[in-house]
Amino acid sequence: MKTSSPDPARQHLWRPYTQMKTTPAALPVVSAEGVRLRLADGRELIDGISSWWTVCHGYRHPHIIEAVKDQLDRVPHVMLGGLTHDPAERLAARLAALAPGDLNHVFFCESGSVSVEIAMKMAIQYWINQGIHGRTRFVAFRGGYHGDTIATMSVCDPDEGMHSLFAGSLPRQIIADLPVDADSRARFEALLDAQAGEIAGVMTEPLVQGAGGMKFHTPETLQAMREACDARGLPLIFDEIMTGFGRLGTLFAAEKAGVTPDIMTVSKALTGGTLPLAAAMASKTIFNAFWSDEASAALMHGPTYMGNPAACAAANASLDLFEREPRLQQVAAIERAFARLLPPARDIPGVVDVRWQGAIGVIEMSGLPAVESLKADFVEAGIWVRPFNNIIYLMPPFVICDSDLETLINTCLAVTRRWAGQHFAGV
Ligand SMILES: *Cc1c(COP(=O)(O)O)cnc(C)c1O
């Protein structure tokens, strides 16, 4: 047996975005309930980031657990090629009814990145099926994040994002500044016209760019994209993988912005953080380009675990909870708590901006020196918060109660203040 590593777990389990040689040992979680993670040594942490933004109803909501168990007893999995099942059919119909506009056609897969890949394939083939060739590139935006696979890396921010290393091996896309004012809007439109014959579609995260740095933009910015796309007949793709299912206070960001895309991707909170599931949803216009007597006009995609019944049952149960429980009001309450408790962070040394929207609270620093010690301090203080780049952010489960929320925010500020006092002294 090889025993060179001090942490036996790192011999075989290769962890995400992690330098395996220098990383501190990961914390073993043995159970989870509501907003709390319980560690093997008995400590409990309030989860401030909802397990990468998924666990909107808290851990182990009984309604979801029940639905999944019931589905496991019937059909845990069955292929969707040539066969169908009620959980997927119901979920597709419900998502179509809830989504803005006529995004009525739902294609399931297992991860967010793959749903973005499918959205890209839909847009490219939309043109091919109409006999128009050469439209294979996407316009995406600085600050954006759309996934970790080869095609999705190509639409992430090429410089600030985490994928600059792969620059030479990615499809070449067209990366623009968000059209936030008259000047950037003119440049964006000029770009669309200059490369007109090559562009398959425009892709953005609506209202909040998440993993690229928790940056906010306005409904007017999306309106500008919508108008520019309409004028040129270009599909507009919203990646709602982070914003979807209530995070900004409406079920989808598109709804809050009053702008409807032609294709929309969803994942993260789709199953309430229970099982992996994602979908690319297309409008009638996009879908109609595939509706044909020609087999070759079909969308050539089909993940093995597409529409997994247990995952669909979890998602259906999650949608039940949005109907039965006051989730969006809870998000509004979280937003009010951020407005009340986050502003004092503005005088912490090193802080350059403090902002919030819906159930997202952000403290932007000039940098995060000694970030591992900051992470350890959060854990020591009983909260689970994972800063990245120069961002410390909170995205709690929507069900968090007032006192836990206050503890989470105030602890986050106190720990950050203490740590900043050591690393930004005299600045
Ligand atoms: C997380 C995320 C993705 C990627 O989803 P995975 O399930 O991790 O592949 C894509 N787009 C956005 C906006 C995301 O937040």
Side-chain angles (χ1 to χ4, degrees):
M1 210 175 85
K2 288 164 282 174
T3 53
S4 56
S5 168
D7 173 8
R10 77 181 84 188
Q11 290 287 359
H12 302 295
L13 182 59
W14 202 340
R15 287 162 43 208
Y17 310 118
T18 299
Q19 174 44 260
M20 295 301 292
K21 184 173 180 188
T22 56
T23 185
L27 303 172
V29 175
V30 292
S31 68
E33 171 115 47
V35 302
R36 283 185 167 69
L37 300 169
R38 177 180 277 263
L39 305 182
D41 62 10
R43 282 183 295 169
E44 285 192 347
L45 305 179
I46 296 179
D47 185 348
I49 55 170
S50 304
S51 272
W52 274 337
W53 327 336
T54 60
V55 189
C56 57
H57 312 289
Y59 292 94
R60 280 183 37 230
H61 192 293
H63 181 63
I64 301 181
I65 298 300
E66 193 103 330
V68 172
K69 283 183 174 165
D70 182 62
Q71 187 58 43
L72 289 176
D73 279 340
R74 297 161 197 261
V75 188
H77 181 65
V78 67
M79 62 190 279
L80 215 53
L83 301 172
T84 189
H85 52 84
D86 181 63
E89 301 230 347
R90 266 191 74 219
L91 181 60
R94 291 174 83 181
L95 289 173
L98 292 169
D102 64 352
L103 295 167
N104 290 337
H105 307 279
V106 184
F107 196 100
F108 288 118
C109 57
E110 336 79 334
S111 83
S113 298
V114 173
S115 71
V116 174
E117 297 251 353
I118 293 166
M120 293 169 82
K121 284 175 74 172
M122 282 176 173
I124 290 171
Q125 198 177 342
Y126 166 78
W127 294 105
I128 295 171
N129 283 359
Q130 299 175 83
I132 298 167
H133 295 273
R135 286 183 171 271
T136 56
R137 298 175 73 191
F138 290 85
V139 176
F141 298 94
R142 275 192 191 78
Y145 174 81
H146 298 286
D148 291 350
T149 57
I150 296 286
T152 60
M153 284 197 290
S154 75
V155 284
C156 292
D157 187 304
D159 306 313
E160 304 290 306
M162 53 182 128
H163 300 315
S164 52
L165 195 64
F166 293 94
S169 42
L170 304 180
R172 279 182 40 255
Q173 311 294 5
I174 301 160
I175 306 297
D177 290 325
L178 284 167
V180 294
D181 56 20
D183 182 52
S184 49
R185 185 171 176 170
R187 280 186 281 120
F188 168 62
E189 297 201 14
L191 216 146
L192 293 185
D193 291 331
Q195 324 233 22
E198 298 174 56
I199 299 172
V202 174
M203 161 113 59
T204 192
E205 296 157 274
L207 295 182
V208 179
Q209 293 179 310
M214 298 292 170
K215 296 174 184 139
F216 302 169
H217 56 262
T218 61
E220 289 72 30
T221 301
L222 299 174
Q223 192 67 51
M225 285 183 206
R226 182 71 273 177
E227 285 168 15
C229 285
D230 282 345
R232 295 161 182 81
L234 284 173
L236 176 61
I237 304 169
F238 279 0
D239 177 350
E240 291 242 17
I241 291 169
M242 184 197 73
T243 51
F245 306 103
R247 186 54 66 179
L248 302 187
T250 50
L251 207 52
F252 299 103
E255 200 181 320
K256 184 170 183 180
V259 178
T260 302
D262 303 291
I263 303 174
M264 181 168 98
T265 57
V266 293
S267 183
K268 292 205 163 87
L270 173 57
T271 66
T274 313
L275 289 165
L277 187 67
M281 304 179 61
S283 70
K284 206 165 182 48
T285 305
I286 299 291
F287 182 76
N288 280 347
F290 294 80
W291 182 265
S292 165
D293 293 321
E294 303 294 331
S296 61
L299 179 61
M300 279 299 153
H301 204 94
T304 305
Y305 277 96
M306 167 174 196
N308 171 261
C312 288
N316 275 312
S318 174
L319 293 182
D320 293 343
L321 294 175
F322 277 99
E323 287 169 10
R324 291 178 198 170
E325 299 185 1
R327 283 296 170 272
L328 300 183
Q329 288 94 306
Q330 289 169 321
V331 173
I334 294 170
E335 184 170 56
R336 286 194 299 275
F338 283 146
R340 191 163 51 87
L341 300 171
L342 272 187
R346 290 199 169 114
D347 65 12
I348 295 174
V351 169
V352 295
D353 189 39
V354 176
R355 56 185 177 269
W356 56 88
Q357 183 173 171
I360 306 176
V362 183
I363 302 171
E364 184 171 334
M365 310 288 301
S366 58
L368 290 178
V371 67
E372 289 305 331
S373 81
L374 177 61
K375 289 178 184 172
D377 290 349
F378 284 136
V379 170
E380 196 60 37
I383 61 175
W384 181 240
V385 180
R386 293 278 288 178
F388 68 94
N389 296 351
N390 58 336
I391 298 292
I392 299 164
Y393 73 96
L394 297 173
M395 287 173 64
F398 303 158
V399 297
I400 192 167
C401 70
D402 293 346
S403 79
D404 281 346
L405 181 57
E406 223 172 289
T407 302
L408 173 67
I409 299 171
N410 287 338
T411 305
C412 178
L413 261 59
V415 168
T416 301
R417 193 178 291 282
R418 189 157 24 89
W419 162 86
Q422 291 158 9
H423 296 281
F424 292 88
V427 174

